[in-house]
Amino acid sequence: MGSSFHTPVMLKEAVDFLNCRSGGIILDGTVGGGGHACEILKRTDPDGILVGIDLDDDALHESRRKLKPFSERVFLTQGNFADMKTILSSLNIKAVDGILLDLGVSSHQLETTTRGFSFSSDAPLDMRMDQRSGFSAYDLVNTTPERELEKIIRDYGEEFRARKIVSALSKQRKLAPIRTTRELAEIVIRAMPHPVKRRRIHPATKTFQALRIAVNDELANLHTSLNDGIDLLRKSGRFSVISFHSLEDRIVKNVFRSWEKGCICPPDFPICACNRKKKLTVITKKPITPGEAEINSNPRARSARLRTAERV
Ligand SMILES: C[S@@+](CC[C@H](N)C(=O)[O-])C[C@H]1O[C@@H](n2cnc3c(N)ncnc32)[C@H](O)[C@@H]1O
C-alpha cells in the first residue's frame, strides 16, 4: 500500500464545502486511503474529531497509517455508511457538523487484481467491498435468475443490450460456472455487435458497473445514508457527496431536493398531509465537477460530481 493507494478527487472543493472549523465533528463515510480525511483533520485543528467508516479492511489499514499523526482525534470503524446512526451512537456522538461520502471504489480496489473489480486483469469474480461479506459477483452471476440478472444489468449498468448479454451468460453457466473477470468480459464482448467491440470504452464496462452495484447494494445504502445523515447534522452542518455515475448523482440530487422542499403533497391538496418539513438548503445548485488540470493528472476524476447541502 502507501502513497499510490488512492488520489482523492476534488480534495479542495469537497473539503471547502464542508466548512470545517476547530472543534467540529466530521463523519467521513468512505474514508478509503484517508486523503480527504487528512485534509479535514488539518482544517479542524487542534481539537476537531474525525469519524471514518469504510467497508474495506485494506482501506482501514491505509487510513490508520496515513492519519497516525492525528490518532487522538480519529475514530475508524469497519462498517457500512448506511449504518452511520448506529456507528455514531456507539461512539456516543449524537450530532455531527459535516458528512462526506466519496462514493464508488478506490484505485487500490480497482488495481488489486485479486479483488475482481476490473476486467483489465484476470481474477476471480469477486467485487465485494467488504471482504467479510458472503455474497460475491460469482454468486450473483451464477445463481441469479435470468430475468433478475437482466434487470440488474439494464438498470444499474444502463445497458440496453442486457437481454443479449444475459442470454450469453445463461448459455455459458449451464455448461460450467463463470469463474473469472476475463471469462465474464469475453462472454459480454461476444454478445456485442461489431461496432461496439471497436469502441474506446471497453464493451463490458457497463456490465461490470451493474454487477458491482448489485453485489454491494450500493444504491440502497446511498439512500439510507442520505436520509439518516441529514437527521444527524447539526444546524448549519454540511453534507457533501461525490458521485461517479448518473444513477448515484440522481439519487443525491433528488433526496437533497426533496428535503429542501419539505412537503411532498400533491399541489391540489388543500392542506399538507405528509408533515414533512424543510431540512436542507442545497448549496450547489449545479453539481461541481473537476477542472481540466485535475482530470489530466487523475483521469479517474473525469466523471466525478460533487453536491453539497446545508442543514437548516
Ligand atoms: C473513492 S474511495 C474513497 C477515497 C477516500 N475519500 C480517500 O480520500 O482516500 C471509496 C471508498 O468507499 C468505500 N465504500 C463504498 N461503499 C461503502 C459503504 N456502503 N460503506 C462504507 N464504505 C464504503 C470503498 O470501500 C472505498 O474504500
Side-chain angles (χ1 to χ4, degrees):
M1 291 188 223
S3 61
S4 63
F5 191 94
H6 183 83
T7 305
V9 169
M10 285 195 277
L11 178 63
K12 182 174 182 320
E13 296 87 333
V15 181
D16 279 352
F17 271 111
L18 284 176
N19 273 353
C20 295
R21 55 165 182 84
S22 301
I25 305 179
I26 308 286
L27 171 71
D28 183 344
T30 50
V31 70
H36 287 104
C38 184
E39 187 61 26
I40 291 168
L41 281 155
K42 287 181 191 158
R43 303 224 207 153
T44 51
D45 196 49
D47 52 354
I49 300 280
L50 180 113
V51 179
I53 301 175
D54 206 292
L55 281 171
D56 188 330
D57 198 33
D58 288 356
L60 289 166
H61 269 96
E62 177 62 10
S63 50
R64 198 160 287 126
R65 187 194 67 76
K66 184 166 173 90
L67 305 177
K68 206 164 187 178
F70 309 95
S71 59
E72 282 147 37
R73 305 199 275 127
V74 177
F75 297 89
L76 296 174
T77 305
Q78 185 174 12
N80 195 317
F81 56 58
D83 298 323
M84 60 171 76
K85 253 190 194 166
T86 322
I87 293 169
L88 287 174
S89 141
S90 73
L91 295 167
N92 220 1
I93 296 174
K94 293 187 177 59
V96 296
D97 300 285
I99 301 177
L100 174 66
L101 298 180
D102 173 20
L103 301 170
V105 278
S106 65
S107 306
H108 174 77
Q109 287 167 325
L110 272 177
E111 284 156 15
T112 305
T113 45
T114 50
R115 302 292 295 269
F117 280 109
S118 166
F119 40 72
S120 39
S121 52
D122 200 14
L125 264 184
D126 188 334
M127 301 195 191
R128 291 167 305 156
M129 293 201 191
D130 184 346
Q131 297 98 327
R132 303 165 303 181
S133 153
F135 186 75
S136 67
Y138 173 89
D139 304 306
L140 184 75
V141 166
N142 289 296
T143 64
T144 310
E146 265 187 56
R147 278 280 160 81
E148 213 178 300
L149 197 54
E150 184 184 335
K151 187 166 162 44
I152 287 171
I153 296 176
R154 178 170 300 116
D155 292 355
Y156 296 167
E158 299 184 285
E159 171 60 90
F160 71 90
R161 294 184 186 85
R163 176 89 283 272
K164 274 198 119 172
I165 293 169
V166 171
S167 144
L169 288 174
S170 173
K171 247 185 232 154
Q172 183 60 41
R173 72 186 191 180
K174 277 182 192 139
L175 302 173
I178 301 159
R179 293 186 184 280
T180 68
T181 49
R182 185 148 301 153
E183 271 179 68
L184 176 67
E186 279 168 6
I187 297 166
V188 175
I189 292 174
R190 282 201 301 273
M192 294 286 178
H194 276 294
V196 179
K197 288 180 194 164
R198 283 199 298 270
R199 273 194 207 140
R200 199 169 52 88
I201 301 208
H202 192 288
T205 306
K206 291 177 172 183
T207 303
F208 270 64
Q209 171 184 301
L211 298 176
R212 195 200 81 204
I213 292 176
V215 167
N216 298 289
D217 209 5
E218 293 180 27
L219 304 184
N221 287 332
L222 177 58
H223 237 284
T224 307
S225 64
L226 288 169
N227 285 302
D228 286 358
I230 290 166
D231 286 336
L232 287 163
L233 284 173
R234 284 203 184 105
K235 186 172 169 1
S236 306
R238 295 265 177 111
F239 202 146
S240 284
V241 187
I242 304 172
S243 59
F244 289 86
H245 55 77
S246 56
L247 297 172
E248 289 171 341
D249 185 52
R250 206 172 306 142
I251 293 174
V252 180
K253 181 176 79 178
N254 290 341
V255 173
F256 279 180
R257 278 200 186 151
S258 86
W259 286 115
E260 182 171 54
K261 195 160 166 253
C263 171
I264 48 164
C265 292
D268 57 338
F269 270 34
I271 54 164
C272 171
C274 72
N275 281 325
R276 272 171 54 119
K277 299 273 175 284
K278 176 181 169 86
K279 292 184 181 176
L280 293 177
T281 301
V282 176
I283 304 293
T284 50
K285 296 298 169 201
K286 285 204 171 130
I288 310 295
T289 51
E292 224 178 283
E294 179 169 4
I295 296 173
N296 288 339
S297 69
N298 179 15
R300 279 196 190 130
R302 197 182 47 237
S303 49
R305 286 173 134 65
L306 166 69
R307 292 186 189 267
T308 299
E310 182 174 295
R311 188 78 164 90
V312 294

